Amino acid sequence: MKHITSLAALLVIFATSRSAEAGGQEGSIGVGAEFGLATILDDVNLGGASVNYDAGMFHVGGFLGFADPEGADNTRYAIGGRFFYHVHQMASSDFSVGGNVGVLSIPIGGDPDNERATLMYIEPSFQIRAFLATNVALSFTGGLVIGAIDTSGLAIGASPSGNAGFHYYFF
């Protein structure tokens, strides 16, 4: 009798299961974290919380970064948003192009008055997401950061960037 019950349970599972699809399905929200692969200013990697909304053909999201290296008055903060259009999708991965827009707040050279600079940047980039399960994704983003700093003038620069992340998608 145990074998018949087990066989019946397996048949129900197979009958009600569906084929695997890429996670981040349309209408899902992904919550996770991302970490910078490139260092910023004094060899500091910035990382933090990240949220994505997958709309099917594209996903949008936001991030909040934080780094506090050893020493006094040297904490870095970042906040921003992103948009990625899905150029190609497979059963367990997708490739997207788009970018990030953000603001980064950093201390200026050990100033005792804790003076800070605010950098605004645009980051045209690509993103690869690999889904370990239908709702768990690892991601890699690479691009070029184009930024401006608000100190006593305007400085514009560009540098390569990259980050890695993970998200859990709620359907």
Side-chain angles (χ1 to χ4, degrees):
M1 186 68 174
K2 285 183 181 179
H3 295 297
I4 292 172
T5 306
S6 298
L7 182 60
L10 282 174
L11 287 174
V12 169
I13 290 171
F14 288 134
T16 58
S17 66
R18 56 186 181 151
S19 61
E21 349 179 318
Q25 297 171 341
E26 185 173 347
S28 63
I29 295 175
V31 178
E34 295 185 18
F35 305 93
L37 299 176
T39 59
I40 57 163
L41 308 171
D42 304 324
D43 296 329
V44 174
N45 285 345
L46 196 61
S50 174
V51 175
N52 286 332
Y53 173 76
D54 200 308
M57 291 298 294
F58 63 89
H59 65 276
V60 296
F63 55 90
L64 178 62
F66 175 80
D68 187 14
E70 290 197 28
D73 300 326
N74 61 356
T75 306
R76 285 112 163 108
Y77 306 96
I79 188 168
R82 67 172 58 92
F83 173 88
F84 284 99
Y85 177 76
H86 302 161
V87 175
H88 190 261
Q89 291 179 301
M90 295 298 289
S92 61
S93 63
D94 61 33
F95 177 80
S96 307
V97 294
N100 300 311
V101 175
V103 177
L104 175 65
S105 176
I106 59 170
I108 297 176
D111 189 322
D113 296 328
N114 199 21
E115 188 175 335
R116 301 188 69 81
T118 303
L119 291 82
M120 300 187 70
Y121 64 90
I122 296 173
E123 182 180 10
S125 48
F126 68 90
Q127 184 176 71
I128 298 169
R129 295 188 300 175
F131 293 93
L132 304 178
T134 57
N135 63 335
V136 178
L138 296 179
S139 64
F140 170 77
T141 307
L144 181 67
V145 175
I146 302 167
I149 189 167
D150 76 344
T151 57
S152 59
L154 177 66
I156 297 176
S159 63
S161 70
N163 64 47
F166 62 90
H167 289 86
Y168 183 92
Y169 284 85
F170 296 91
F171 301 110

